[in-house]
Amino acid sequence: MKIQKSSEDYLETMLIMKETHGFIRSIDIADHLGVTKPSVSYATKRLRENGYITMDSKGLITLTDTGMAVAEQMYARHKLLTEFFIQLGVDEETAHTDACKVEHDISVKTFDAICQNVKKQK
């Protein structure tokens, strides 16, 4: 099943929240993504139904193994693409914004080539 770009963004944000705070709450996701709490509620419902996350009785979110795999892949792509764009001379803010756009659509072949290029530059 193909996951939607917005779902990838939510899962990536959840991973960032887990790494930053040690836990994942809907309000933190809303703040990070600049969306409303109802938008997060709708997204988390879909992610729960598709097996990417679970939620406990207090509303704390946990990524399932499947959700974590997607989140880690997107976050790794995001970080590497940001680094690549910065190496090209793009300012950090623009590099971050552009990486967020590109990370969803770039082919595996092109991403692998960028990975090799970044490794050579180190």
Side-chain angles (χ1 to χ4, degrees):
M1 179 176 79
K2 175 86 170 107
I3 186 168
Q4 294 180 343
K5 293 176 188 181
S6 63
S7 294
E8 290 175 339
D9 283 338
Y10 275 96
L11 292 170
E12 180 183 1
T13 297
M14 289 174 188
L15 177 58
I16 292 167
M17 295 299 101
K18 175 75 172 154
E19 289 181 354
T20 303
H21 305 297
F23 53 86
I24 307 166
R25 299 182 311 172
S26 294
I27 190 69
D28 298 322
I29 296 166
D31 288 344
H32 184 83
L33 290 174
V35 298
T36 64
K37 181 82 165 64
S39 293
V40 175
S41 294
Y42 178 75
T44 55
K45 179 180 182 228
R46 282 192 346 257
L47 291 169
R48 241 186 4 259
E49 289 170 349
N50 289 308
Y52 293 106
I53 64 169
T54 60
M55 290 181 81
D56 68 15
S57 60
K58 295 179 183 179
L60 292 177
I61 298 166
T62 302
L63 291 160
T64 64
D65 290 344
T66 305
M68 182 63 82
V70 172
E72 287 174 338
Q73 177 187 30
M74 297 316 300
Y75 194 41
R77 281 179 167 228
H78 184 98
K79 290 191 297 186
L80 190 112
L81 288 166
T82 300
E83 183 180 344
F84 177 66
F85 295 151
I86 290 169
Q87 285 179 2
L88 293 176
V90 177
D91 66 273
E92 190 171 342
E93 184 178 338
T94 303
H96 172 74
T97 301
D98 289 347
C100 200
K101 295 173 188 172
V102 173
E103 68 191 19
H104 302 286
D105 294 321
I106 193 169
S107 70
V108 172
K109 188 174 185 177
T110 300
F111 183 73
D112 288 346
I114 290 172
C115 288
Q116 294 305 314
N117 187 279
V118 168
K119 287 177 187 174
K120 287 179 189 175
Q121 300 301 319
K122 288 186 176 186

